[in-house]
């Protein structure tokens, strides 16, 4: 049922995000730093420096936004894919690869309604620590740190950012980078869902019986990491476009083409794969967990228990 699908998708998203959010924060910071202003050299270096300067909970800056919006995002994504697969199938026949890709395309298109503002707000909060650390470093290099204690960083919240964007740019402010988000999420879903479905089928002994949970988990991990790396260049562009604040001497961009051109010319083609391994480490368990929860059907169990409890 649709309620069960939505609940399953929501639970899957909450569990997955909680597990992998620090790696996602590192991915955002690695993707946003530009040549000449590099604060971090690797995933581990980023996490260690974040803990030292911002504490353990610094690794979870922006997590509240994700935990709030990931439920509708994952619910829409998984339920939409099922919806399109159902309507593209005829008389229960196996879907062709093209129709599986079309279903994934539909799911990716639907989810950006929630994904774009969620990513927009999350990126501002995740990258704030990098920019603050860079400013302190530049101040020290300019021998300005010898003055009394520098001002304590004022931490903005998602609510403050939302109000400012709505006041200055209206609802369009929350949807900055919509085109880049579509450019990332639609190809991701086109790759992910067919790949997962076919890998998951390999573990089914009977077409009418669900695959074991570990098969769904491994299928989600493999399909998720493969799709994540494949669309990483689009993710780098999206992250750069959605960042409202820039570090010292960092480029600004007017759109997708301008961003692509500047990254290629000033940082080289490998810059499009910044944070690719971080993104694979985020997406693999995130979608592995999501598919286990979704296919095991926790929501069905909970919904089935309600009438019994009431009785």
């Amino acid at each position: 049922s649709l309620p069960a699908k939505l609940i399953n998708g929501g639970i899957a998203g909450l569990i997955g995000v909680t597990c992998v959010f620090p790696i996602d924060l590192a991915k955002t910071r690695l993707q946003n730093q530009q040549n000449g202003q590099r604060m971090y050299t690797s995933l581990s270096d980023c996490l260690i420096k974040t803990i030292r300067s911002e504490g353990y909970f610094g690794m979870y800056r922006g997590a509240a936004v994700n935990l709030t919006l990931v439920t509708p995002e994952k619910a829409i994504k998984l339920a939409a894919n099922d919806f399109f697969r159902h309507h593209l199938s005829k008389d229960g026949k196996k879907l062709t690869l093209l129709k599986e890709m079309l279903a994934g395309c539909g799911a990716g298109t639907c989810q950006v309604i929630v994904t774009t503002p969620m990513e927009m707000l999350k990126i501002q909060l995740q990258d704030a620590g990098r920019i603050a650390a860079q400013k302190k470093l530049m101040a020290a290099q300019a021998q300005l740190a010898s003055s009394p204690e520098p001002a304590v960083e004022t931490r903005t919240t998602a609510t403050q950012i939302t109000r400012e964007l709505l006041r200055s740019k209206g609802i369009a402010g929350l949807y900055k980078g919509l085109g880049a988000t579509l450019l990332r999420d639609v190809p991701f879903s086109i790759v992910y869902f067919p790949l997962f479905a076919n890998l998951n089928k390999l573990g089914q002994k009977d077409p009418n019986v669900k695959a074991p949970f570990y098969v769904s988990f491994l299928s989600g991990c493999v399909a998720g990491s493969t799709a994540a790396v494949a669309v990483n260049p689009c993710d780098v562009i999206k992250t750069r476009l959605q960042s409202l604040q820039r570090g010292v001497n960092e480029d600004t961009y007017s759109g997708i083409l301008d961003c692509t051109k500047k990254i290629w010319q000033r940082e080289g083609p490998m810059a499009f794969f910044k944070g690719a391994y971080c993104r694979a480490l985020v997406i693999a368990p995130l979608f592995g967990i999501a598919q286990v929860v979704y296919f095991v059907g926790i929501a069905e169990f909970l919904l089935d228990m309600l009438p019994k409890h009431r009785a």
Side-chain angles (χ1 to χ4, degrees):
S1 66
L2 182 60
K5 289 176 182 178
L6 296 178
I7 293 170
N8 278 332
I11 294 171
L14 289 172
I15 296 171
V17 167
T18 303
C19 293
V20 302
F21 193 84
I23 304 174
D24 185 63
L25 178 137
K27 175 203 73 92
T28 298
R29 293 188 176 185
L30 288 170
Q31 286 181 340
N32 260 337
Q33 65 180 7
Q34 299 178 22
N35 290 343
Q37 302 296 337
R38 297 173 64 86
M39 292 294 301
Y40 316 107
T41 58
S42 64
L43 167 64
S44 58
D45 181 56
C46 180
L47 293 179
I48 290 169
K49 287 180 178 176
T50 298
I51 293 172
R52 285 176 180 170
S53 61
E54 303 170 55
Y56 173 79
F57 290 105
M59 295 191 298
Y60 282 88
R61 290 183 74 169
V65 175
N66 256 36
L67 291 173
T68 302
L69 296 179
V70 76
T71 298
E73 188 228 17
K74 286 289 176 287
I76 290 171
K77 188 186 190 84
L78 295 173
N81 181 65
D82 270 7
F83 174 82
F84 288 116
R85 287 179 70 90
H86 174 73
H87 285 278
L88 286 169
S89 63
K90 293 181 179 179
D91 303 323
K93 291 181 180 179
K94 181 181 176 181
L95 287 176
T96 63
L97 179 59
L98 178 60
K99 287 185 176 180
E100 287 184 332
M101 293 172 71
L102 285 173
C105 178
T109 303
C110 290
Q111 79 169 83
V112 297
I113 298 169
V114 176
T115 303
T116 305
M118 179 182 77
E119 292 271 315
M120 175 74 177
L121 295 171
K122 181 195 72 170
I123 285 171
Q124 314 317 314
L125 298 172
Q126 284 184 329
D127 205 38
R130 180 187 71 89
I131 293 172
Q134 189 187 88
K135 287 179 179 178
K136 287 179 183 178
L137 180 63
M138 295 296 289
Q141 290 174 348
Q143 298 182 343
L144 296 176
S146 57
S147 54
E149 285 292 318
V152 177
E153 177 197 352
T154 303
R155 294 199 174 190
T156 56
T157 65
T159 304
Q160 291 171 329
I161 296 170
T162 302
R163 286 175 180 169
E164 178 61 30
L165 286 171
L166 289 174
R167 189 175 73 248
S168 60
K169 299 181 180 179
I171 192 69
L174 290 173
Y175 281 87
K176 183 179 180 182
L178 174 61
T181 306
L182 278 168
L183 200 61
R184 180 197 68 173
D185 287 349
V186 171
F188 177 92
S189 295
I190 288 173
V191 174
Y192 173 78
F193 284 111
L195 184 56
F196 169 78
N198 285 283
L199 289 173
N200 198 53
K201 283 176 186 175
L202 295 176
Q204 290 179 278
K205 295 180 180 179
D206 186 327
N208 298 317
V209 179
K210 288 182 179 179
F213 78 93
Y214 62 86
V215 172
S216 292
F217 176 76
L218 291 174
S219 298
C221 288
V222 173
S225 57
T226 301
V229 173
V231 302
N232 196 75
C234 300
D235 189 56
V236 172
I237 294 168
K238 182 201 71 67
T239 300
R240 296 279 182 96
L241 288 174
Q242 288 188 320
S243 297
L244 299 177
Q245 295 186 40
R246 304 287 177 189
V248 180
N249 299 324
E250 289 185 344
D251 290 327
T252 56
Y253 312 103
S254 59
I256 295 173
L257 292 178
D258 180 57
C259 183
T260 304
K261 181 180 177 181
K262 286 180 178 176
I263 292 174
W264 183 277
Q265 291 178 340
R266 300 176 188 182
E267 301 175 60
M270 290 307 296
F272 290 105
F273 288 92
K274 282 184 177 180
Y277 64 98
C278 294
R279 183 162 162 75
L281 288 174
V282 169
I283 297 296
L286 183 62
F287 277 83
I289 293 168
Q291 292 295 359
V292 168
V293 173
Y294 196 64
F295 277 83
V296 167
I298 290 176
E300 284 86 343
F301 172 76
L302 294 175
L303 291 172
D304 286 344
M305 290 295 291
L306 285 176
K308 296 176 185 177
H309 179 70
R310 286 171 185 166

